[in-house]
Amino acid sequence: MQKAVWLLIVATSLYSLINVGVKLLDSLPASQIVVFRAFISALICSFYIWKKKISFLGNNKRVLFLRGLFGTIALLSLFTCLQKIPLAVAMTLINLSPILTVVIAHFYLKEKANLSQWVFLLVSFVGVFMVRGEVAPVPWVWMLLGLLAAFFAALAYTCVRKLRTTEDPLVVILYFPLVTVPMIGPIMVYEWQTPIGIQWIILLGIGCLTQLAQYCMTLAYQLESAAKVMVFNYTGLFWGVLLGWVIFNEKLSYLQICGVLLVFFCLCGNYLVSRRPILLRRVK
């Protein structure tokens, strides 16, 4: 259990650094960063899939494609938000995806959500309104784009859950760049801006750190069930506040901080409720 927790904390920390890198590249189009990230991921995944001698295309190709499509939309939306709004606000919005996954799984996978989880969903959106701020509120267009990123991330995660018994994790990861490059590539070409100096290093770092973060997260979920360790994903909210303040001098109002905390408690509450059946079985 302890090893899985540390792996997940490392993964979350790496994702936070990746988000910082995206924000530092705010002069480059988000499409360009997404494609660079996908291309590096494709190279690394292809090498290990070839080494393991497994099928590149997998078994359930329809759901694999949807996972790639939903993940692409989510990542492009998130990266755009990261370049436009405070880091803590963007990370608060994307962290709504676990709660949204409960709703989507309720209808798509027939995994019944209870009343408490629906309440946490509604209350978390109150936190979103608070995070928007009141003195210099974040424009609604970026707030809605952040919620869109969370929604499509939840769809992608639901597809991953659907594929967990039929596909190798490397194949699931590979389908993201397989969809991203042809889908976003033309947009990247149209918006192309040649990186200069350290921007090349940051782009390479984003790609490599993403693969390492995905590996740590996958290994953590292989060592322990998601229900036991998922709560440690939410440390990303606090990384967002801390890194935004230290690196970008982003200062949140008391109302926004309360909004971040409210979303965090809703996420934790949803996690505890989802674990209740496991805890009851242990008691029995």
Side-chain angles (χ1 to χ4, degrees):
M1 174 73 172
Q2 187 176 9
K3 184 177 180 180
V5 168
W6 279 112
L7 282 168
L8 201 54
I9 290 175
V10 169
T12 304
S13 303
L14 290 174
Y15 278 124
S16 299
L17 291 176
I18 291 164
N19 292 337
V20 169
V22 173
K23 200 163 182 63
L24 288 171
L25 295 175
D26 59 358
S27 62
L28 297 182
S31 60
Q32 198 167 325
I33 304 172
V34 169
V35 172
F36 265 87
R37 175 193 184 278
F39 183 72
I40 294 172
S41 178
L43 290 177
I44 297 173
C45 282
S46 297
F47 172 76
Y48 283 104
I49 290 174
W50 171 78
K51 197 172 182 180
K52 291 177 73 173
K53 294 181 170 60
I54 58 178
S55 170
F56 278 80
L57 297 180
N59 301 306
N60 195 337
K61 297 177 181 61
R62 183 180 69 86
V63 179
L64 281 166
F65 171 78
L66 289 175
R67 179 263 181 269
L69 177 64
F70 296 148
T72 297
I73 297 172
L75 196 66
L76 183 60
S77 302
L78 173 62
F79 280 10
T80 302
C81 280
L82 284 168
Q83 294 181 332
K84 302 295 184 180
I85 64 178
L87 183 63
V89 176
M91 293 184 71
T92 300
L93 294 173
I94 194 62
N95 270 282
L96 289 174
S97 57
I99 293 183
L100 294 174
T101 301
V102 171
V103 178
I104 295 169
H106 175 83
F107 294 103
Y108 178 60
L109 300 179
K110 307 303 179 185
E111 297 178 357
K112 298 301 180 183
N114 58 42
L115 179 60
S116 298
Q117 289 175 301
W118 290 104
V119 171
F120 287 131
L121 173 67
L122 294 175
V123 175
S124 66
F125 278 100
V126 175
V128 168
F129 277 91
M130 295 168 66
V131 166
R132 181 171 181 255
E134 55 182 2
V135 179
V138 177
W140 273 114
V141 63
W142 304 124
M143 296 293 293
L144 292 175
L145 190 62
L147 290 173
L148 185 73
F151 175 72
F152 277 100
L155 286 174
Y157 184 68
T158 303
C159 290
V160 172
R161 287 176 58 79
K162 181 78 172 177
L163 296 165
R164 66 186 183 276
T165 59
T166 62
E167 308 297 339
D168 187 279
L170 284 170
V171 176
V172 177
I173 295 171
L174 178 65
Y175 260 80
F176 172 78
L178 286 182
V179 175
T180 297
V181 174
M183 181 178 172
I184 308 297
I187 301 175
M188 180 199 72
V189 172
Y190 176 76
E191 297 181 331
W192 176 265
Q193 293 184 32
T194 303
I196 56 174
I198 196 171
Q199 290 180 332
W200 285 108
I201 298 175
I202 296 175
L203 281 170
L204 180 62
I206 288 172
C208 294
L209 288 180
T210 296
Q211 198 66 23
L212 181 57
Q214 288 178 328
Y215 174 78
C216 289
M217 187 164 288
T218 301
L219 186 57
Y221 286 136
Q222 287 176 342
L223 291 172
E224 290 288 348
S225 67
K228 289 183 180 179
V229 296
M230 187 185 294
V231 70
F232 295 97
N233 267 333
Y234 308 148
T235 55
L237 285 175
F238 296 103
W239 276 120
V241 174
L242 179 62
L243 294 175
W245 175 57
V246 173
I247 299 176
F248 302 105
N249 196 31
E250 296 173 348
K251 298 174 182 177
L252 300 183
S253 67
Y254 289 116
L255 180 67
Q256 289 175 305
I257 292 174
C258 288
V260 172
L261 291 174
L262 184 59
V263 172
F264 174 76
F265 286 124
C266 286
L267 291 167
C268 291
N270 175 70
Y271 159 78
L272 292 172
V273 169
S274 66
R275 281 201 65 193
R276 187 179 297 168
I278 299 173
L279 296 174
L280 289 176
R281 285 199 296 270
R282 284 182 179 177
V283 171
K284 291 178 181 179

